Amino acid sequence: MSRTDPRRRRTRAAGAPPTAPATAPPTDPSAWSDAVAAVLGLVLPVACVGCGAPDRAVCRPCRDVLDAEPQRRRLVAGVRLDAAFAYRDTVRALVLELKLRGRTDLVPVLAPRFGALVDRALADVPGALLVRVPPSPAGARRRGFDPVVLLLRRAGAARGRARRAPRRALRRVRGRVPADRPGSRATTRVAHGQKERTALERVEATVGTLRAAHVAGRDVVVVDDVVTTGVTMAEAVRAVRAAGGRVVRCVALAEVEE
Ligand SMILES: [Zn+2]
């Protein structure tokens, strides 16, 4: 940038303190990431994920659309499932950006409603354990982060953290992949035929893919990000029951209306 750049002159004229010389390296390590973020912000301007309007990850009108979205409730394997959003339109766009493109800056937008539902479930059933449906191995490897964990952390679900079940309370049985997990081998294999599969076939392909531990005699709240057919959530419920636990509530970020 030239010394005679008009924006720079205007800044100085407005009385802003002179910036450090460009040749001086930041001494604080975090200053480097701030500097990188600032430069990236110049070449990759932030646009609203919902509508493309510049400057904000999610613009005000799109946040209003989110606020107006109804919550969802249905039964999964006889257990009440609360979903913070219907999985459609703006919600779908945000969830896909978070999960597929690593847009963790969307977590603060999505977290409050999800966290509130988790907190309510744990308040309704004192002492319940919070158990997460394990993400597909392929998705977890690709992302390098767990969106559900980020959402809960952001929501400050303190009660949830205190009551989180031991790691791997619910885990995938090696060699078996639920039929409806995005990125799963089973999904890839049958993707074009998924719609034609009967509900019974989807259930049969999923039963036995999860195993629970450390839940015997406990009340359990099962959480996941997106519930589509519900067969994976139902498999989580089955696995917890098989291990002697009682699923008292399921909570999802978003749910697809069947
Ligand atoms: Zn927007």
Side-chain angles (χ1 to χ4, degrees):
M1 187 181 288
S2 160
R3 291 267 169 199
T4 57
D5 184 287
R7 278 174 297 176
R8 191 182 185 91
R9 277 206 311 272
R10 195 160 58 241
T11 305
R12 288 292 182 87
T19 51
T23 50
T27 50
D28 175 3
S30 68
W32 278 112
S33 55
D34 287 348
V36 169
V39 171
L40 285 179
L42 292 174
V43 290
L44 300 171
V46 175
C48 171
V49 169
C51 68
D55 293 338
R56 294 284 292 277
V58 181
C59 73
R60 188 68 251 171
C62 285
R63 281 175 189 255
D64 291 343
V65 167
L66 283 183
D67 289 343
E69 277 287 329
Q71 298 191 356
R72 287 292 183 81
R73 183 178 293 186
R74 78 184 209 212
L75 287 177
V76 172
V79 178
R80 174 176 141 193
L81 164 75
D82 286 345
F85 297 100
Y87 186 65
R88 63 185 182 195
D89 304 334
T90 303
V91 173
R92 186 169 176 277
L94 265 62
V95 172
L96 287 175
E97 287 288 321
L98 168 62
K99 292 186 69 176
L100 300 182
R101 292 194 223 262
R103 287 289 302 269
T104 53
D105 57 325
L106 300 174
V107 166
V109 180
L110 296 168
R113 269 206 205 188
F114 180 59
L117 288 179
V118 171
D119 276 348
R120 192 186 308 160
L122 293 172
D124 287 350
V125 189
L129 290 172
L130 194 59
V131 172
R132 192 244 193 280
V133 175
S136 77
R141 269 198 305 276
R142 185 180 62 241
R143 281 190 292 273
F145 66 90
D146 184 337
V148 170
V149 170
L150 292 188
L151 288 164
L152 290 175
R153 195 178 292 158
R154 172 70 194 198
R159 285 193 297 262
R161 196 157 44 239
R163 294 181 201 169
R164 191 172 300 163
R167 278 177 65 84
R168 293 172 64 78
L170 204 52
R171 63 184 173 84
R172 234 159 256 292
V173 175
R174 188 173 286 276
R176 298 225 50 199
V177 181
D180 71 341
R181 301 301 284 176
S184 73
R185 278 167 293 165
T187 304
T188 309
R189 195 165 60 240
V190 301
H192 59 281
Q194 184 74 45
K195 290 281 185 213
E196 287 75 47
R197 288 184 135 202
T198 66
L200 185 60
E201 284 169 340
R202 288 199 299 258
V203 170
E204 281 178 342
T206 308
V207 169
T209 55
L210 297 177
R211 187 171 297 156
H214 313 297
V215 295
R218 303 297 301 269
D219 289 331
V220 171
V221 173
V222 179
V223 294
D224 202 356
D225 41 28
V226 179
V227 171
T228 53
T229 63
V231 293
T232 301
M233 188 63 97
E235 167 61 5
V237 172
R238 184 207 62 77
V240 169
R241 287 172 178 162
R246 187 169 79 97
V247 180
V248 292
R249 188 81 49 87
C250 299
V251 180
L253 172 63
E255 183 257 1
V256 180
E257 197 169 31
E258 279 278 89

